[in-house]
Amino acid sequence: MSLWIALIATAAGCYLLKYAGMAAPRRLLDHPWVQRFAVAVPVALLAALIAVEALRGEGQALAWDTARMAGVGAAVLALALRAPFLVVVVGAAATTAAMRAFGL
């Protein structure tokens, strides 16, 4: 039963959060600080997600994986060269797979 309570509470919270965003007054949304925050938060969240997934180890510990870091490096290099997103993803996956094939 507690699973259903958590599910309903989470759904209600998501709905209320979405409604709060739509009900916010226009003068609040036009504030320069809010606009800068709205631009910066997705970038920070994506960077944090990439860092946690790239360094994920066993359980809650962070661990260095050379093959995975090589894939992240290949993705960063492809992004710096302004490659299309599909090329970035395939290049990172291929680099990681090659490093694993060589036993690194």
Side-chain angles (χ1 to χ4, degrees), residues 6-100:
L7 183 68
I8 291 169
T10 302
C14 288
Y15 178 78
L16 290 174
L17 188 60
K18 188 77 146 176
Y19 180 73
M22 293 173 57
R26 183 42 112 189
R27 62 182 168 81
L28 175 69
L29 299 177
D30 289 338
H31 195 275
W33 186 87
V34 173
Q35 290 180 347
R36 284 194 313 266
F37 182 78
V39 169
V41 166
V43 174
L45 289 175
L46 183 59
L49 177 65
I50 290 170
V52 168
E53 286 300 313
L55 295 171
R56 185 169 37 113
E58 297 296 323
Q60 295 291 326
L62 297 179
W64 183 268
D65 182 2
T66 304
R68 196 178 292 169
M69 286 295 109
V72 171
V76 168
L77 178 64
L79 286 171
L81 295 174
R82 299 195 182 270
F85 184 70
L86 185 60
V87 174
V88 172
V89 172
V90 169
T95 302
T96 303
M99 294 293 283
R100 294 218 192 278

